[in-house]
Amino acid sequence: MPSTPHLFGGDWTSEKLERVRKYLVAYATIMNRQKFRFAYVDAFAGTGYRTTARVQASSSILSPELLEDEPQEFLDGSARIALQVRPRFHKYIFIEQSSKRFAELEKLKLEFPELAEDILLENTDANSYLKDLCLNRNWKTRRAVLFLDPYGMQVTWDVIEAIASTRAIDLWILFPHGVAVNRMMTKDGKINAAWRRKLNMIFGETAWFNEFYQVRTETDLFGAKTSLEKVGNLHSIGQYFVKRLKTVFAGVVENPRPLYNSRNIPLYLLCFASGNPKGAPTAIKIAEDILMR
């Protein structure tokens, strides 16, 4: 058991990881018959373990009702799940910026000695590492599945563009539409500068504002008054992100999977996109089947 547990969700986390696991098995089975070298990349790998309760990373956006209060039990996290998949991947890249969590992650090489030489651990910022990995490597003979499971809104759009530009990576990403994005979009449209910057960075453009807000005009005895009205909701925010993914990826699952906490509050969308034009139709078909079940 890890001495520094990675607190991470209830049933919604199990659901997310099981769906990703099923895809990894299908992907490795298909790729094992191909000529490519293929890797699994986990950009927020944590400790390799998780528990059934998650403490959200410091953010004033989040509300108390989003936090789980369930018994803690050590379970496999995404990194350990990937290492157990057979057929195996040729390479495993685990990225974790927290020094404490990274120290626990290093123990995976001892737990999986037969894979140790092919486990690459990176104690660094995920965005910076991924941009370098995607933009400064030759992807002609390489393929990968990348799992982006951030603690909030850490993943910026330029990173997603870099991932898509490889034309070689299948991406699973948790989009925080309920836990963060929708809450930052205030009803009156008066969004502070810091939150606007975060929303611009996650969507990769400023056009989202006109998508989710309309000018409303009301007339009274004193004349006409205009105000902003929020027309965006969880569904439209999610669909807007899907539309943005479609501008850079060869294939995108149209209806990502909403993930709810034990109080039935929507937290994230589990989204999938495929970068390789030739492999995208098969990848999308498999991912859609997994997400629908």
Side-chain angles (χ1 to χ4, degrees), residues 2-61:
S3 56
T4 309
H6 189 198
L7 301 176
F8 208 95
D11 288 345
W12 67 272
T13 300
S14 299
E15 177 186 350
K16 165 196 67 179
L17 292 177
E18 176 59 15
R19 293 179 192 280
V20 173
R21 185 196 67 79
K22 287 180 178 180
Y23 186 81
L24 295 182
V25 172
Y27 180 91
T29 300
I30 293 172
M31 294 303 294
N32 196 48
R33 300 192 293 264
Q34 305 296 319
K35 61 182 179 180
F36 301 103
R37 299 281 295 177
F38 56 98
Y40 172 74
V41 185
D42 197 323
F44 298 88
T47 63
Y49 283 94
R50 63 186 174 92
T51 71
T52 55
R54 177 172 182 171
V55 175
Q56 301 286 356
S58 58
S59 172
S60 59
I61 303 167

Side-chain angles (χ1 to χ4, degrees), residues 24 35-36 55 70 84 88-89 97 191 204 215 225 266 273 279:
L24 295 182
K35 61 182 179 180
F36 301 103
V55 175
E70 301 172 355
Q84 295 169 35
R88 55 156 293 182
F89 283 71
Q97 189 169 22
I191 306 172
V215 176
K225 293 182 179 180

Side-chain angles (χ1 to χ4, degrees), residues 36 56 89 100 110 112 129 137 140 159 170 227 258 269 287 293:
F36 301 103
Q56 301 286 356
F89 283 71
K100 289 184 178 180
L110 299 176
F112 297 90
Y129 183 86
R137 303 291 192 281
K140 289 184 178 180
V159 174
D170 286 353
S227 62
L269 284 178
R293 290 179 183 271

Side-chain angles (χ1 to χ4, degrees), residues 47 63 66 80 82 115 123 146 180 183 185 189-190 201-203 206 212 217 249 252 259 264 282 287:
T47 63
S63 297
L66 297 178
R80 295 185 79 256
L115 302 177
N123 184 201
L146 169 58
R183 292 170 179 271
M185 295 181 183
K190 295 178 181 178
M201 290 175 70
I202 201 170
F203 286 121
T206 60
F212 301 126
T217 302
F249 280 94
V252 178
L259 299 174
N264 206 36
T282 300

Side-chain angles (χ1 to χ4, degrees), residues 40-195:
Y40 172 74
V41 185
D42 197 323
F44 298 88
T47 63
Y49 283 94
R50 63 186 174 92
T51 71
T52 55
R54 177 172 182 171
V55 175
Q56 301 286 356
S58 58
S59 172
S60 59
I61 303 167
L62 308 181
S63 297
E65 72 269 17
L66 297 178
L67 301 179
E68 299 288 355
D69 183 18
E70 301 172 355
Q72 292 188 12
E73 175 187 3
F74 289 109
L75 300 169
D76 290 348
S78 54
R80 295 185 79 256
I81 286 173
L83 290 169
Q84 295 169 35
V85 166
R86 295 294 181 273
R88 55 156 293 182
F89 283 71
H90 292 130
K91 185 74 70 175
Y92 305 87
I93 303 174
F94 300 133
I95 310 163
E96 177 53 56
Q97 189 169 22
S98 165
S99 297
K100 289 184 178 180
R101 288 196 288 265
F102 185 79
E104 295 294 337
L105 202 59
E106 290 182 302
K107 298 176 183 178
L108 289 175
K109 288 192 173 186
L110 299 176
E111 186 177 351
F112 297 90
E114 73 283 7
L115 302 177
E117 291 186 359
D118 296 316
I119 298 174
L120 178 62
L121 303 175
E122 295 291 339
N123 184 201
T124 188
D125 171 69
N127 282 334
S128 298
Y129 183 86
L130 288 175
K131 286 173 68 175
D132 178 67
L133 179 70
C134 293
L135 299 177
N136 298 313
R137 303 291 192 281
N138 183 351
W139 286 95
K140 289 184 178 180
T141 59
R142 296 184 175 97
R143 296 291 184 266
V145 177
L146 169 58
F147 186 36
L148 281 179
D149 186 6
Y151 306 113
M153 298 178 66
Q154 291 92 337
V155 179
T156 53
W157 186 256
D158 59 333
V159 174
I160 292 177
E161 285 183 317
I163 295 165
S165 73
T166 67
R167 298 167 67 88
I169 295 176
D170 286 353
L171 173 66
W172 286 94
I173 179 172
L174 256 73
F175 178 64
H177 73 319
V179 78
V181 175
N182 185 51
R183 292 170 179 271
M184 296 172 79
M185 295 181 183
T186 57
K187 290 183 179 180
D188 59 7
K190 295 178 181 178
I191 306 172
N192 67 56
W195 285 9

